[in-house]
Amino acid sequence: MNADKIDLSQEIFSRFGTVKRARKCFLYTAKGIRLTDLYQEGGGAILGWGGSVFTIFKNVLERGATGSYFTDFSSPCGREKSQLDRAVSALFGDERKAFTFSGKQAALEAAVSLSPESSSVWRPWNPVSVDWRSVNSIVFAPSLPWAGDIFILAVKKESLTSLQNGRAFANDDSGVVNSDFSFPNQIFLPAPLCASVTRSIHDLIKALQEREEKHWFIYDQIITRYWERKGPYLFPKIPEERYADFVLHCLDCNLVISPDYHQPSIVPFGADKGNFNLLKKTPFDF
């Protein structure tokens, strides 16, 4: 079986039934089997399933602020700085403006159109050492497992003063960008979703200060047989032509790993070595 033919949802369902609940790095299934999640929605659930983002979503939704108008959370095009702008500024350590897109490609195209020489994709605990304050346009996905295909473009304030298409932003003394400019394919996030995305960024800032190498290397004795670990990210040592079989073998060991050979799996923060016992007892031969 080719890895790109694996329907991970169907494979989980056929073995364990529906997923009834998800918490931290675990999926609880209808057949009473707890699965350890190393896929984590391709990184969307790297902070775990659940948490304060769901409470924030519920609270804002109950206010009824779900329309297409600007709120405290959604990103306005006027003078006032949104909470999302403040969150991305805190994440990268400088003043930035946040733009939201549906899809990575749309966000990247916007980034390159603005900063062709200084655009990059960011992910938490990136093993590559970069001073991100020097990058004008940064594209990243929020650590929010149910955010769909939302990507954020975080643009340095000063880089918004001159655009390739000839339009310019004016900055006042407060450092807030004043413009009704929007990128092609930019999307508007309803307040409950935007509030959750914003909270997920603050949660990520806290996690970046707390999670470190000591939380990941404890599994190395088991996982380095199959993966090369870089920070929390696991890159397969399995030959690509055998990877699909390995994905299914891991499911039989109650482990959910990335179904995409080129998308790394992630060390399950909050798990313990015992969650890998089945894989240890029934090793995959390659």
Side-chain angles (χ1 to χ4, degrees):
M1 179 187 294
N2 294 328
D4 59 2
K5 298 297 183 182
I6 290 180
D7 184 334
L8 189 60
S9 298
Q10 183 60 45
E11 294 292 345
I12 291 173
F13 177 74
S14 65
R15 287 167 170 76
F16 311 105
T18 56
V19 173
K20 294 292 188 179
R21 187 165 64 97
R23 186 169 181 266
K24 296 184 179 179
C25 63
F26 299 110
L27 308 177
Y28 297 83
T29 67
K31 292 186 178 180
I33 302 298
R34 187 180 72 171
L35 306 177
T36 303
D37 183 14
L38 286 76
Y39 174 43
Q40 301 176 19
E41 295 295 286
I46 196 169
L47 298 183
W49 295 94
S52 62
V53 290
F54 292 94
T55 302
I56 289 292
F57 184 89
K58 177 177 177 290
N59 290 345
V60 178
L61 184 64
E62 286 181 342
R63 298 179 197 172
T66 59
S68 57
Y69 35 74
F70 292 137
T71 68
D72 291 341
F73 299 98
S74 52
S75 185
C77 294
R79 294 173 58 88
E80 189 172 347
K81 195 173 184 180
S82 73
Q83 292 192 26
L84 182 57
D85 293 335
R86 293 188 177 95
V88 298
S89 296
L91 178 61
F92 296 112
D94 56 7
E95 289 297 315
R96 291 185 179 263
K97 177 74 176 172
F99 301 89
T100 51
F101 298 85
S102 178
K104 183 177 182 179
Q105 186 61 36
L108 282 172
E109 289 175 357
V112 172
S113 72
L114 179 62
S115 309
E117 304 298 328
S118 185
S119 297
S120 187
V121 177
W122 178 87
R123 67 181 179 187
W125 297 283
N126 194 320
V128 179
S129 180
V130 175
D131 181 1
W132 291 96
R133 292 171 298 181
S134 68
V135 180
N136 287 340
S137 299
I138 301 173
V139 172
F140 71 101
S143 302
L144 193 64
W146 43 276
D149 202 25
I150 293 173
F151 278 80
I152 298 173
L153 169 59
V155 182
K156 286 176 70 72
K157 179 198 67 178
E158 54 263 34
S159 69
L160 296 176
T161 58
S162 178
L163 298 175
Q164 285 184 328
N165 62 9
R167 297 186 63 176
F169 289 83
N171 297 318
D172 62 20
D173 292 337
S174 68
V176 178
V177 175
N178 304 314
S179 176
D180 61 355
F181 177 83
S182 62
F183 288 99
N185 301 315
Q186 181 183 339
I187 62 171
F188 175 86
L189 298 183
L193 180 55
C194 192
S196 299
V197 168
T198 301
R199 173 54 64 90
S200 76
I201 295 173
H202 288 297
D203 288 347
L204 179 58
I205 292 171
K206 184 173 184 290
L208 287 168
Q209 297 169 345
E210 296 175 346
R211 300 186 188 183
E212 52 188 331
E213 178 67 15
K214 67 180 181 181
H215 297 114
W216 303 313
F217 82 84
I218 58 175
Y219 308 99
D220 282 358
Q221 186 177 1
I222 302 168
I223 65 177
T224 53
R225 173 185 173 94
Y226 306 107
W227 290 279
E228 178 184 0
R229 184 178 62 80
K230 297 180 180 179
Y233 299 104
L234 304 176
F235 298 87
K237 293 179 179 179
I238 311 294
E240 188 169 359
E241 61 272 15
R242 297 293 315 282
Y243 187 70
D245 295 327
F246 180 58
V247 173
L248 301 182
H249 180 82
C250 285
L251 276 180
D252 292 335
C253 296
N254 299 343
L255 301 172
V256 180
I257 70 170
S258 173
D260 183 347
Y261 183 83
H262 302 287
Q263 171 71 50
S265 297
I266 301 170
V267 174
F269 185 83
D272 58 54
K273 294 179 182 179
N275 297 119
F276 293 90
N277 278 347
L278 287 177
L279 180 60
K280 189 175 181 180
K281 292 177 181 178
T282 57
F284 181 75
D285 184 16
F286 65 100

